[in-house]
Amino acid sequence: MTAWAPRRGPRGVRHFLEIDDLDREELEAVLTLAAESALPQVLEGRGVALLFEHPSLRTRHATEVAVSELGGHPVSAVGAEVGLGVREPAADVARVLAGYHAVIGARVRRHGTLVEMAAALDGAGQPVPVVNLLSDAGHPAQVLADLLVLRRHLGELAGRRLTYVGDANNVCRSLVLAGALTGLQVTVAAPAGFGLSEELVERAGQLGAAPVCLDDPHEAAAGADALYTDVWTSMGQEAENARRRQAFAGFTLDGSVLAAAAPGAIVLHCLPAHRGEEISEDVLEGTASVVFEQAALRRAAMVGLLAWLGGVEPR
Ligand code: CP
Ligand code: NVA
């Protein structure tokens, strides 16, 4: 058995708050581990805390199963039970949980909560990684699975083209950064006011390549090898739902957008999906769609990530 040995960098234990917390080689190692079978039981006898300020189906189940697969014991807490910053400060929650668990994963309303938790652990010298299970800024755990499904269908990603249609939200941001790390050329089609921030475009540029930003889904989809969309209203934005439905009219990933893509293009969606809004029923259920395969790969992606954070090297 290989014992849990938290991976460290120059600034201490490695956290996973965004996909570019990994460099190219490290991302490759995580994806390689995700594809391996019979990994060491690196979490044997260890707990993993999973906190959810928003609901979750895929992330919670995939992560709980991944923890078990590595021999560990997941403990999930949801909603008011979590009380981050309400019942007690996030920094206190992190330092308490680090006394019981090898890893703390959290889905948070505010990305800053993850940063506070990681800083509190670093400050206390507690070598426990914090893992982003979705924040308002990013969803890097999702994007690991996205890369797995993209590779399975497209092979080497460098030079391939992915077009994201819709809100440049948490998922889109992580995807753009992942594109910059892997050489996947990402184009984002969003209505005015809902596109990527300049800061994120620059960050991607510094990592490898800036995305192309457009406001016409058909133009953006032309020749793409993969199309991706996500909800127009993310968790925490429910009050903006009516305004967003108006703003995103014309941005549905439907048959006409798919027809503009390259022959054989695949369609991704992180799910949950709103049929008739960001994606049409026929595209979601059609032959180009790989969304349920993508969802299934969330488990392997979490296994790879947790094993890597615990010091396992690919074979
Ligand atoms: N894609 C995703 O993260 O799904 P959940 O919100 O159900 O976890
Ligand atoms: N952008 C969506 C992703 C859900 C998995 C949200 O944040 O609600």
Side-chain angles (χ1 to χ4, degrees), residues 125-214:
Q126 291 173 294
V128 172
V130 174
V131 172
N132 182 356
L133 300 179
L134 181 146
S135 72
D136 56 342
H139 196 3
Q142 170 69 50
V143 164
L144 291 174
D146 301 343
L147 293 174
L148 290 175
V149 80
L150 284 164
R151 280 205 177 164
R152 193 183 268 183
H153 287 270
L154 304 182
E156 169 57 44
L157 296 183
R160 293 294 212 146
R161 290 194 42 215
L162 177 143
T163 292
Y164 179 98
V165 178
D167 187 23
N169 60 16
N170 44 10
V171 170
C172 178
R173 288 170 56 95
S174 295
L175 203 54
V176 164
L177 296 173
L181 282 171
T182 58
L184 177 69
Q185 294 170 16
V186 180
T187 298
V188 176
F194 296 92
L196 290 167
S197 66
E198 269 176 39
E199 169 268 329
L200 199 277
V201 172
E202 267 173 37
R203 182 164 154 186
Q206 276 160 14
L207 271 179
V212 175
C213 299
L214 300 172

Side-chain angles (χ1 to χ4, degrees), residues 224-293:
D225 301 300
L227 300 175
Y228 198 126
T229 191
D230 182 21
V231 293
W232 293 338
T233 302
S234 285
M235 294 181 281
Q237 299 173 331
E238 290 78 4
E240 299 172 22
N241 192 24
R243 181 171 78 89
R244 285 175 167 270
R245 283 171 69 136
Q246 267 189 339
F248 285 97
F251 280 78
T252 302
L253 203 179
D254 60 12
S256 72
V257 176
L258 180 57
I266 56 171
V267 171
L268 290 82
H269 190 311
C270 60
L271 301 177
H274 295 108
R275 291 162 168 83
E277 291 191 21
E278 78 277 0
I279 191 162
S280 63
E281 168 85 19
D282 60 324
V283 169
L284 185 72
E285 299 290 354
T287 53
S289 170
V290 297
V291 301
F292 292 103
E293 190 182 344

Side-chain angles (χ1 to χ4, degrees), residues 81-93:
E81 220 185 351
V82 179
L84 282 172
V86 178
R87 188 158 183 261
E88 55 194 316
D92 292 6
V93 172

Side-chain angles (χ1 to χ4, degrees), residues 52 55-60 107 133-134 139 142 235 270-272 298:
F52 292 90
S56 171
L57 178 72
R58 283 144 289 269
T59 307
R60 177 173 174 182
R107 168 167 288 195
L133 300 179
L134 181 146
H139 196 3
Q142 170 69 50
M235 294 181 281
C270 60
L271 301 177
R298 296 291 310 277

